[in-house]
Amino acid sequence: MVRVAIVGSGPAGIYTAEALLRHGDISVDVIDRLPCPYGLVRYGVAPDHFKIKSVARALARTFDSPQARFLGNIQLGRDVTVSELRSCYDAVVYAFGAAADRRLGIDGEDLAGSVSATSFVAWYSGHPDEAIDRYTLDAEQVAVIGNGNVAVDVARVLARPAEDLRGTDVPDHVLKVLSASRVTDVHIIGRRGPAEAKFTTKELRELGELTDVDVVVDPDELVVDEAGQAAIAADANVRRNVDVVREWAERPLRGLPRRIYLRFLLRPVRLVGDTDVTAIELERTRLDGGARATGTGEIVALPVQMVVRSVGYRAVSVADLPFDDGGGVIPNRAGRVLRDGRASPGEYAVGWIKRGPTGVIGTNKSDATETVHSMLEDLEGWPRSEAGSEALPDLLAERGVQVVTWAEWLAIEEAEADCGRLLERGPVKIAEWSALLAAAARRH
Ligand code: NAP
């Protein structure tokens, strides 16, 4: 039996495990920094996206196999080094994604009230790294910078009535803050035009379906240049996005209590304020015919008390792993990790750490297929480990690391169901490290 460790239990990691298990003679340990599996399915997909979240049920089935183990609460680089991990397995697959946020690099970015979508999403998703009192939502006007699906998620969660989220697994402290939120206006700011936006149309449309929320679009900002016209002709998603915002631009406002503004051709240049954000300055841009935006020098000031930058994720490197800073990925060829330009035997990458932070959950399936294809082609040439299946758990036990197994994760799930029952809700996420680890330990 060949033994493989996969670092990261998000969709990319688990799809890789599933494909390897189909091969038969391979056992797989899926390792995660958190005591909970599923990566961004649990801590990124918005709580009201039930259908996407239900992918977790399919991912869970992978652990029905006696050849698959989940080993949670293990951080690569802190609890175990890359070379120690490699010595315990015949092959290692890095699937730890892109956990950090990208910055705007403008003045005022560190004022109070300026936050990353990565942090805000993690907070409302009950991620244990985010303090439960991190957000109060005293702001009335919020700017969300970026035209991707994360910006849409953030705007929707900020604008939709908190009561809508009672039927989800958001932690109770999040529901309380959202219920008391003073937010009335959310401005989604794109630096290019509607044809360049990265939204998927299904997600974009949802903004127009929220109760109590008017969507506001200025028709003068719906500029489509030659490159945009070509994109509309070539890509149905782009065409539908442009159709949707054009329709909204014509729709009469209904005088509803909250508004989402979709703004285009505005580039953030400065956040204004002494200690707290009071406004954002944006420079009007124009498209150059090739879908690039150039500044016009015209500055527009928007009064806001909160700015959420939603301009993409960024991967963080781990000691002893090669890392391409520019691309934010582990250098690889079809998933084979490259050290000094050569494929390193028995080392692979998959998911966002392999290809960058793009694509939807399903994209990871084909990505995993490619990496597993490379792995199976190379299998005979892997350096074989002498270590047994307990080598890693034993090493971690010596170091006092509380490894969370699949059975212990199921105990966390039970505790979340209990927590929900007390609150007369469905399962409610436990959001603190100590409580998660205590729930895992309760199994014993
Ligand atoms: P994204 O799709 O890459 O969008 C990032 C946005 O930020 C782009 O509009 C980009 O504009 C803008 N941007 C970057 N730097 C900027 C700057 N300095 N100033 C102003 N704007 C800037 O990233 P994301 O929204 O974080 O999403 C990551 C991935 O997860 C995507 O593949 C997304 O589809 C996926 N996702 C999917 C779902 C879903 O399916 N429901 C939900 C959430 C996330 P430019 O184009 O001009 O660079």
Side-chain angles (χ1 to χ4, degrees):
M1 182 78 76
V2 174
R3 298 180 49 255
V4 176
I6 299 173
V7 185
S9 66
I14 298 185
Y15 286 143
T16 302
E18 193 186 276
L20 286 172
L21 290 167
R22 273 202 297 273
H23 182 264
D25 297 331
I26 298 179
S27 75
V28 178
D29 283 350
V30 182
I31 293 165
D32 205 288
R33 182 174 84 78
L34 295 173
C36 314
Y38 311 138
L40 283 178
V41 171
R42 181 171 160 95
Y43 290 117
V45 173
D48 53 347
H49 277 170
F50 297 103
K51 187 144 179 265
I52 310 181
K53 280 225 175 280
S54 70
V55 167
R57 283 204 294 278
L59 298 178
R61 283 199 287 276
T62 303
F63 295 95
D64 290 345
S65 162
Q67 283 161 234
R69 295 193 298 189
F70 173 72
L71 304 174
N73 194 33
I74 303 170
Q75 186 170 336
L76 182 64
R78 180 193 67 187
D79 300 320
V80 58
T81 66
V82 167
S83 60
E84 285 167 342
L85 187 68
R86 291 187 66 194
S87 71
C88 293
Y89 294 89
D90 301 314
V92 176
V93 184
Y94 306 108
F96 51 78
D101 58 284
R102 290 186 59 230
R103 290 178 62 85
L104 294 168
I106 58 173
D107 279 353
E109 198 167 355
D110 293 316
L111 288 170
S114 164
V115 302
S116 71
T118 314
S119 155
F120 186 64
V121 169
W123 172 77
Y124 69 59
S125 301
H127 194 295
D129 283 352
E130 286 295 322
I132 61 172
D133 58 357
R134 172 75 176 82
Y135 290 94
T136 49
L137 300 184
D138 299 324
E140 291 179 5
Q141 317 269 337
V142 182
V144 182
I145 312 300
N147 267 185
N149 279 334
V150 173
V152 167
D153 280 346
V154 166
R156 192 179 66 257
V157 168
L158 283 170
R160 84 177 310 164
E163 200 45 38
D164 287 2
L165 298 178
R166 235 189 109 72
T168 74
D169 62 2
V170 290
D172 212 43
H173 63 271
V174 171
L175 206 53
K176 285 197 175 105
V177 170
L178 291 173
S179 301
S181 163
R182 298 180 60 199
V183 173
T184 54
D185 295 273
V186 181
H187 308 261
I188 302 179
I189 314 279
R191 61 181 171 181
R192 299 192 286 161
E196 288 73 41
K198 303 234 170 86
F199 316 126
T200 43
T201 312
K202 184 170 173 293
E203 277 61 33
L204 179 64
R205 271 208 188 102
E206 274 179 87
L207 297 180
E209 291 158 7
L210 300 176
T211 49
D212 288 353
V213 182
D214 268 324
V215 179
V216 189
V217 178
D218 177 350
D220 290 345
E221 290 184 347
L222 300 186
V223 177
V224 177
D225 71 355
E226 294 86 326
Q229 294 294 0
I232 288 173
D235 185 333
N237 187 70
V238 175
R239 175 174 49 76
R240 286 193 288 257
N241 279 352
V242 174
D243 286 349
V244 167
V245 290
R246 281 183 178 152
E247 187 195 314
W248 285 341
E250 285 172 12
R251 195 156 93 168
L253 299 186
R254 291 170 290 171
L256 297 173
R258 286 179 173 173
R259 287 154 295 279
I260 293 176
Y261 297 79
L262 280 156
R263 304 293 309 270
F264 297 99
L265 301 173
L266 291 168
R267 177 179 83 87
V269 286
R270 186 167 81 98
L271 303 195
V272 184
D274 291 331
T275 54
D276 295 52
V277 176
T278 55
I280 181 166
E281 283 182 1
L282 304 159
E283 182 183 14
R284 170 78 54 207
T285 63
R286 83 164 66 83
L287 294 174
D288 68 354
R292 284 174 298 270
T294 50
T296 62
E298 179 194 342
I299 300 292
V300 179
L302 193 66
V304 288
Q305 303 80 45
M306 181 177 180
V307 173
V308 187
R309 57 176 184 279
S310 181
V311 294
Y313 288 80
R314 182 173 56 83
V316 185
S317 61
V318 171
D320 295 336
L321 274 185
F323 190 67
D324 165 4
D325 247 329
V329 294
I330 295 177
N332 70 90
R333 201 177 301 127
R336 295 179 177 92
V337 171
L338 302 177
R339 290 186 181 265
D340 300 322
R342 299 170 63 105
S344 166
E347 272 194 304
Y348 299 88
V350 72
W352 279 6
I353 196 64
K354 169 188 176 189
R355 66 174 198 273
T358 58
V360 293
I361 289 171
T363 316
N364 294 298
K365 206 154 202 174
S366 44
D367 192 344
T369 302
E370 182 189 62
T371 292
V372 170
H373 186 260
S374 298
M375 293 177 79
L376 297 179
E377 254 182 23
D378 303 349
L379 200 143
E380 297 306 321
W382 290 349
R384 288 296 147 91
S385 165
E386 297 294 308
S389 64
E390 294 314 301
L392 181 67
D394 288 348
L395 177 75
L396 293 163
E398 266 170 43
R399 292 181 180 165
V401 177
Q402 179 192 339
V403 174
V404 173
T405 63
W406 187 254
E408 288 163 339
W409 151 246
L410 295 180
I412 293 177
E413 270 196 323
E414 271 172 40
E416 293 189 332
D418 290 347
C419 182
R421 271 190 287 276
L422 281 176
L423 296 161
E424 297 181 357
R425 296 176 53 197
V428 166
K429 273 190 189 146
I430 295 173
E432 285 170 298
W433 274 103
S434 55
L436 285 168
L437 294 178
R442 215 173 62 165
R443 161 150 178 98
H444 307 288

